[in-house]
Amino acid sequence: MDARMPDAVSRRPLIEMRDVVRRFGSGNVALEGLSLVVRDCEFVSLLGPSGCGKSTALRIMAGLLAPSAGTVTLNGPGADADIAGGIGFVFQDATLMPWATVFDNVWLPLRLKGVGKAAARADVEASLASVSLLGFAASYPRELSGGMKMRVSIARAMVTKPRLLLMDEPFAALDEMTRFKLNNDVLALWEAQKLTVVFVTHSVFESVYLSSRVVIMGDRPGRAVDEIDLSDAWPRNEQYRTTSKYAAHCRIVSDALARTLDNATDG
């Protein structure tokens, strides 16, 4: 990645969450008082302990869950277009249909919108090409590695040309080398498509490598307790992983996460 990250301060909000609360029927409170702004073309990682509501926050952004209280605004005041429906979601598991080919798995979102296979072909093939899987269009998920399955999932999320890509720990189950490769693939897509990405992860190292900003979430009930701006660290490539700046940013994010865990223990 050779381009510089966009100046988030100068860009309008794409998502605004204000004092969001999410209670489940069991009485469990997953989020309480979560306020977060994500600006156009940012790459924001949500980092925090297990069970702190990161995935719940992502599902609320996607419209898959409704907040129990608070407000969620997509595209912000004065925006020129609504992004509702222009959202791609990548889950923790690839969640592919095992009986369908790679092509048909990626075609699914367009098919659900009423787009026929012939009409969708160019978009499906372009999406597969963007993750270097065009040659596997006729393959079945059982014939793919774990990393390839996740790339199919990313292609499926991207086939509708979303402006907002939400990713819920998509690489957690993969080996380190595959994870590094997919980190680079996602950064390339983010840059080429001018996406806004919100990425949930447990990995300090992954969050620092990918993000223009890391948001630290406190233990349950979840809320944003700290954020670290990383937009000065660019370009992102394998050389960056060995730089003193990367190491310093990892320490800063690790310290912020440790403070959050300490405060949860003290409480």
Side-chain angles (χ1 to χ4, degrees), residues 48-199:
S50 295
C52 74
K54 301 183 298 295
S55 296
T56 300
L58 211 65
R59 282 161 171 76
I60 289 174
M61 292 179 198
L64 301 176
L65 287 176
S68 304
T71 61
V72 180
T73 304
L74 294 180
N75 226 23
D80 56 5
D82 183 14
I83 65 164
I87 299 173
F89 201 113
V90 179
F91 295 90
Q92 293 179 25
D93 298 316
T95 61
L96 303 179
M97 300 180 294
W99 60 86
T101 65
V102 165
F103 184 100
D104 286 349
N105 269 283
V106 176
W107 171 40
L108 180 63
L110 295 176
R111 182 181 178 186
L112 294 174
K113 291 176 177 287
V115 181
K117 195 168 188 175
R121 182 167 299 279
D123 286 336
V124 171
E125 290 181 349
S127 195
L128 284 171
S130 73
V131 295
S132 303
L133 284 180
L134 183 56
F136 293 86
S139 300
Y140 287 86
R142 64 179 176 271
E143 301 171 319
L144 306 179
S145 68
M148 292 169 74
K149 290 176 184 176
M150 191 53 68
R151 279 193 276 159
V152 175
S153 182
I154 294 170
R156 182 177 58 192
M158 292 297 300
V159 75
T160 58
K161 299 181 175 66
R163 287 177 56 204
L164 173 63
L165 183 62
L166 305 175
M167 308 187 77
D168 189 6
E169 293 189 78
F171 311 140
L174 301 177
D175 65 86
E176 190 173 43
M177 288 183 64
T178 302
R179 191 167 182 160
F180 283 1
K181 173 65 169 63
L182 288 173
N183 284 169
N184 290 334
D185 289 347
V186 168
L187 281 175
L189 280 174
W190 170 72
E191 182 183 334
Q193 305 291 338
K194 295 181 170 55
L195 291 167
T196 302
V197 179
V198 183
F199 189 96

Side-chain angles (χ1 to χ4, degrees), residues 246-266:
Y246 176 68
H249 280 154
C250 287
R251 284 194 298 272
I252 291 168
V253 173
S254 294
D255 289 347
L257 184 60
R259 287 193 300 271
T260 298
L261 297 174
D262 289 343
N263 289 339
T265 302
D266 294 341

